[in-house]
mmCIF file of all heavy atoms in Angstrom:
data_model
loop_
_atom_site.group_PDB
_atom_site.id
_atom_site.type_symbol
_atom_site.label_atom_id
_atom_site.label_comp_id
_atom_site.label_asym_id
_atom_site.label_seq_id
_atom_site.Cartn_x
_atom_site.Cartn_y
_atom_site.Cartn_z
ATOM 1 N N GLY A 3 36.650 33.031 -14.637
ATOM 2 C CA GLY A 3 36.270 33.635 -15.894
ATOM 3 C C GLY A 3 35.334 34.801 -15.747
ATOM 4 O O GLY A 3 34.929 35.383 -16.738
ATOM 5 N N ARG A 11 28.250 41.701 -9.561
ATOM 6 C CA ARG A 11 26.871 41.375 -9.891
ATOM 7 C C ARG A 11 26.568 39.987 -9.362
ATOM 8 O O ARG A 11 25.475 39.742 -8.838
ATOM 9 C CB ARG A 11 26.649 41.449 -11.412
ATOM 10 C CG ARG A 11 25.187 41.250 -11.696
ATOM 11 C CD ARG A 11 24.732 42.213 -12.768
ATOM 12 N NE ARG A 11 25.259 41.785 -14.068
ATOM 13 C CZ ARG A 11 25.026 42.415 -15.158
ATOM 14 N NH1 ARG A 11 24.356 43.548 -15.164
ATOM 15 N NH2 ARG A 11 25.523 41.983 -16.310
ATOM 16 N N TYR A 29 8.076 29.953 6.059
ATOM 17 C CA TYR A 29 6.999 29.123 5.527
ATOM 18 C C TYR A 29 7.310 27.654 5.887
ATOM 19 O O TYR A 29 6.421 26.888 6.180
ATOM 20 C CB TYR A 29 6.951 29.522 4.093
ATOM 21 C CG TYR A 29 6.320 28.778 3.024
ATOM 22 C CD1 TYR A 29 5.240 27.896 3.211
ATOM 23 C CD2 TYR A 29 6.807 28.920 1.717
ATOM 24 C CE1 TYR A 29 4.675 27.270 2.128
ATOM 25 C CE2 TYR A 29 6.210 28.295 0.643
ATOM 26 C CZ TYR A 29 5.173 27.476 0.848
ATOM 27 O OH TYR A 29 4.657 26.806 -0.213
ATOM 28 N N MET A 54 11.336 15.301 -1.000
ATOM 29 C CA MET A 54 10.358 15.770 -1.997
ATOM 30 C C MET A 54 10.693 17.160 -2.419
ATOM 31 O O MET A 54 10.683 17.509 -3.584
ATOM 32 C CB MET A 54 8.941 15.712 -1.381
ATOM 33 C CG MET A 54 7.808 15.838 -2.407
ATOM 34 S SD MET A 54 6.185 15.551 -1.659
ATOM 35 C CE MET A 54 6.054 13.794 -1.790
ATOM 36 N N GLY A 76 -2.135 10.706 -0.861
ATOM 37 C CA GLY A 76 -1.311 11.876 -0.629
ATOM 38 C C GLY A 76 -0.156 11.988 -1.601
ATOM 39 O O GLY A 76 0.145 13.011 -2.201
ATOM 40 N N ALA A 78 -0.010 10.538 -4.589
ATOM 41 C CA ALA A 78 -0.486 10.773 -5.932
ATOM 42 C C ALA A 78 -0.802 12.250 -6.107
ATOM 43 O O ALA A 78 -0.463 12.859 -7.151
ATOM 44 C CB ALA A 78 -1.723 9.907 -6.213
ATOM 45 N N LEU A 92 11.879 22.663 -18.209
ATOM 46 C CA LEU A 92 11.964 22.910 -19.649
ATOM 47 C C LEU A 92 12.524 24.310 -19.936
ATOM 48 O O LEU A 92 13.264 24.536 -20.824
ATOM 49 C CB LEU A 92 10.569 22.812 -20.263
ATOM 50 C CG LEU A 92 10.015 21.450 -20.554
ATOM 51 C CD1 LEU A 92 8.627 21.603 -21.195
ATOM 52 C CD2 LEU A 92 10.937 20.676 -21.442
ATOM 53 N N LEU A 98 20.660 26.795 -18.092
ATOM 54 C CA LEU A 98 21.659 26.210 -17.213
ATOM 55 C C LEU A 98 22.676 25.292 -17.954
ATOM 56 O O LEU A 98 23.838 25.247 -17.612
ATOM 57 C CB LEU A 98 20.981 25.409 -16.112
ATOM 58 C CG LEU A 98 19.991 26.189 -15.275
ATOM 59 C CD1 LEU A 98 19.289 25.264 -14.231
ATOM 60 C CD2 LEU A 98 20.688 27.306 -14.512
ATOM 61 N N GLU A 128 25.223 33.962 -14.977
ATOM 62 C CA GLU A 128 24.290 34.603 -13.972
ATOM 63 C C GLU A 128 23.080 33.711 -13.713
ATOM 64 O O GLU A 128 22.564 33.689 -12.595
ATOM 65 C CB GLU A 128 23.859 35.958 -14.501
ATOM 66 C CG GLU A 128 24.976 37.016 -14.405
ATOM 67 C CD GLU A 128 24.518 38.358 -14.887
ATOM 68 O OE1 GLU A 128 23.280 38.628 -14.971
ATOM 69 O OE2 GLU A 128 25.387 39.193 -15.201
ATOM 70 N N GLY A 155 5.892 21.911 16.990
ATOM 71 C CA GLY A 155 4.508 21.379 16.847
ATOM 72 C C GLY A 155 4.305 20.202 17.817
ATOM 73 O O GLY A 155 3.234 20.093 18.435
ATOM 74 N N PRO A 161 -3.107 19.514 18.402
ATOM 75 C CA PRO A 161 -3.175 20.373 17.179
ATOM 76 C C PRO A 161 -4.496 21.118 17.082
ATOM 77 O O PRO A 161 -4.541 22.260 16.588
ATOM 78 C CB PRO A 161 -2.936 19.429 16.034
ATOM 79 C CG PRO A 161 -2.843 18.075 16.595
ATOM 80 C CD PRO A 161 -2.756 18.138 18.045
ATOM 81 N N ALA A 172 -5.759 27.215 5.379
ATOM 82 C CA ALA A 172 -5.257 28.574 5.129
ATOM 83 C C ALA A 172 -3.969 28.518 4.296
ATOM 84 O O ALA A 172 -3.743 29.394 3.403
ATOM 85 C CB ALA A 172 -5.053 29.335 6.409
ATOM 86 N N ARG A 185 -10.448 34.336 -14.921
ATOM 87 C CA ARG A 185 -11.788 33.777 -14.870
ATOM 88 C C ARG A 185 -11.785 32.248 -15.013
ATOM 89 O O ARG A 185 -12.436 31.543 -14.265
ATOM 90 C CB ARG A 185 -12.642 34.422 -15.967
ATOM 91 C CG ARG A 185 -14.099 33.886 -16.099
ATOM 92 C CD ARG A 185 -14.808 33.904 -14.774
ATOM 93 N NE ARG A 185 -14.889 35.251 -14.182
ATOM 94 C CZ ARG A 185 -15.946 36.077 -14.355
ATOM 95 N NH1 ARG A 185 -16.958 35.725 -15.095
ATOM 96 N NH2 ARG A 185 -15.956 37.245 -13.787
ATOM 97 N N LEU A 193 -15.481 24.532 -9.602
ATOM 98 C CA LEU A 193 -15.858 23.173 -10.004
ATOM 99 C C LEU A 193 -15.145 22.118 -9.140
ATOM 100 O O LEU A 193 -15.678 21.087 -8.748
ATOM 101 C CB LEU A 193 -15.545 22.923 -11.479
ATOM 102 C CG LEU A 193 -16.439 23.619 -12.516
ATOM 103 C CD1 LEU A 193 -15.915 23.420 -13.905
ATOM 104 C CD2 LEU A 193 -17.874 23.100 -12.376
ATOM 105 N N VAL A 211 -10.002 14.574 -3.645
ATOM 106 C CA VAL A 211 -9.024 15.594 -4.108
ATOM 107 C C VAL A 211 -8.451 15.158 -5.453
ATOM 108 O O VAL A 211 -8.325 15.940 -6.404
ATOM 109 C CB VAL A 211 -7.915 15.792 -3.055
ATOM 110 C CG1 VAL A 211 -6.851 16.663 -3.624
ATOM 111 C CG2 VAL A 211 -8.488 16.418 -1.778
ATOM 112 N N GLY A 222 -8.999 22.116 -19.303
ATOM 113 C CA GLY A 222 -7.839 22.353 -20.165
ATOM 114 C C GLY A 222 -8.128 21.932 -21.618
ATOM 115 O O GLY A 222 -7.831 22.683 -22.564
ATOM 116 N N GLY A 235 0.087 24.507 -32.383
ATOM 117 C CA GLY A 235 1.091 23.522 -31.980
ATOM 118 C C GLY A 235 1.266 22.531 -33.078
ATOM 119 O O GLY A 235 0.647 22.604 -34.143
#
Side-chain angles (χ1 to χ4, degrees):
Chain A
R11 187 137 74 182
Y29 162 29
M54 193 174 275
L92 281 182
L98 302 177
E128 286 181 18
R185 177 52 59 93
L193 288 175
V211 172

